[in-house]
Amino acid sequence: MSAAGASSSPRPAPPVIAGLLLAAGGGRRLGGRPKALLPYRGRPLVENAVRVLREAGLGPLHVVIGASAAEVRERADLTGCVVVDNPDWAEGMGSSLRVGLASLAGTGAGAALVSLVDQPGIGAAAVARVREAYRSPASLAAASYDGERGHPVLFGADRWADIAATATGDKGARVHLARHAGELTLVECGDIAAAFDIDTPPDLARLV
């Protein structure tokens, strides 16, 4: 049979990497201003974070909200996202991570790439670079900045149950990351992103 007539095996489908945005924080050190609704380039900050995940090729996109949840739903355009309420948002990031991972059950995603709403200096290029570290449902990867681990973080689906079981308070996934440090792939992103947080009033000057 000629090469032209030979049958070729179909290419495997690309892995489904979900984007999980944690946007529930109440901005305690910002005087109780919900971080999702901080103004950024004329729109709520959460919209920028969603756009970054979308431009990085992630999907489905799940957004965990908490503080002023009704107002976030009303004011922010989250079209195309699964918006998940975390009624226990005040307990810390761990509760939002648990709620977010639970919402991804049944989506068929091989991994979740977790990002934070208050890091506008991390754009699609850095997120996509971390996304490319996916190898299997056991993958564990994180952006690093001058060698220091930061966000976003990629968790293969095989890890979700353990992460949910150990994510308490503001620890997030730190317990799981510490236990499996030898399996973590660090993806240097300091050349294309700035990993600052919007936590205090002086930080608001970065929202330009």
Side-chain angles (χ1 to χ4, degrees):
M1 182 180 291
S2 66
S7 61
S8 58
S9 300
R11 284 188 174 184
V16 175
I17 311 296
L20 178 55
L21 175 63
L22 305 185
R28 178 176 53 83
R29 286 182 286 172
L30 291 168
R33 300 172 65 184
K35 290 188 176 184
L37 292 176
L38 292 175
Y40 182 64
R41 298 177 179 175
R43 297 298 303 167
L45 185 59
V46 66
E47 290 183 13
N48 172 74
V50 166
R51 177 186 57 78
V52 166
L53 295 179
R54 186 171 285 125
E55 290 181 357
L58 297 165
L61 302 181
H62 287 218
V63 181
V64 181
I65 61 174
S68 301
E71 188 178 359
V72 173
R73 287 179 179 273
E74 179 183 346
R75 291 179 49 192
D77 182 1
L78 300 176
T79 303
C81 299
V82 175
V83 182
V84 187
D85 287 286
N86 175 17
D88 300 318
W89 63 268
E91 293 180 4
M93 187 190 303
S95 65
S96 290
L97 184 56
R98 292 195 307 271
V99 167
L101 291 176
S103 75
L104 290 171
T107 62
L113 189 144
V114 180
S115 68
L116 307 181
V117 72
D118 66 342
Q119 294 189 321
I122 300 175
V127 174
R129 189 178 285 183
V130 176
R131 181 189 187 280
E132 290 303 312
Y134 176 83
R135 295 294 179 269
S136 76
S139 290
L140 184 64
S144 64
Y145 302 88
D146 296 326
E148 294 293 323
R149 176 175 57 80
H151 283 85
V153 183
L154 184 143
F155 301 119
D158 289 352
R159 299 181 178 274
W160 295 354
D162 184 67
I163 291 169
T166 57
T168 59
D170 277 323
K171 292 179 180 178
R174 278 181 282 182
V175 172
H176 185 87
L177 289 166
R179 288 177 178 172
H180 301 275
E183 303 161 39
L184 176 66
T185 298
L186 289 178
V187 182
E188 181 58 45
C189 293
D191 58 320
I192 54 173
F196 58 84
D197 301 316
I198 306 299
D199 281 334
T200 64
D203 296 333
L204 295 173
R206 294 179 178 267
L207 293 177
V208 295

